[in-house]
């Protein structure tokens, strides 16, 4: 999995979920490479792909079950 297409928030609205440059490794295998994802409050996103492309790894990294090698601000502290 490389990069997801960001679903941008409307002007002036902070994204509820804003991930930039997410990189996750299993051992020496680079599984997620520079993933960027932005989701506005009240929006739904569907994550689809073939087996083994990193869907579950991405969700585990977002939930904090996997330690990313690099990432910036996954969750907005107080969504409105």
């Amino acid at each position: 999995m490389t990069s997801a297409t960001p679903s941008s928030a409307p002007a002036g609205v902070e994204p509820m979920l804003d991930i930039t440059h997410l990189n996750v490794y299993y051992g020496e295998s680079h599984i997620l490479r520079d993933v960027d994802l932005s989701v506005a409050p009240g929006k739904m996103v569907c994550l689809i792909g073939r087996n083994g492309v990193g869907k579950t790894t991405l969700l585990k990294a977002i939930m904090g079950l996997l330690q990313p090698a690099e990432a910036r601000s996954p969750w907005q502290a107080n969504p409105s």
Side-chain angles (χ1 to χ4, degrees):
M1 176 175 249
T2 54
S3 283
T5 304
S7 77
S8 57
V13 176
E14 288 290 319
M16 180 187 70
L17 174 65
D18 192 19
I19 298 171
T20 58
H21 304 294
L22 176 66
N23 287 279
V24 175
Y25 291 80
Y26 283 128
E28 293 187 22
S29 297
H30 197 172
I31 305 302
L32 299 178
R33 299 175 188 264
D34 292 324
V35 174
D36 295 332
L37 177 65
S38 180
V39 180
K43 297 294 180 181
M44 287 190 274
V45 174
C46 180
L47 184 61
I48 60 173
R50 294 181 7 204
N51 292 349
V53 297
K55 300 176 303 291
T56 301
T57 300
L58 175 60
L59 294 175
K60 285 182 177 181
I62 290 170
M63 292 185 295
L65 299 176
L66 291 176
Q67 183 64 37
E70 176 187 355
R72 285 191 232 141
S73 60
W75 290 101
Q76 178 182 342
N78 295 310
S80 2

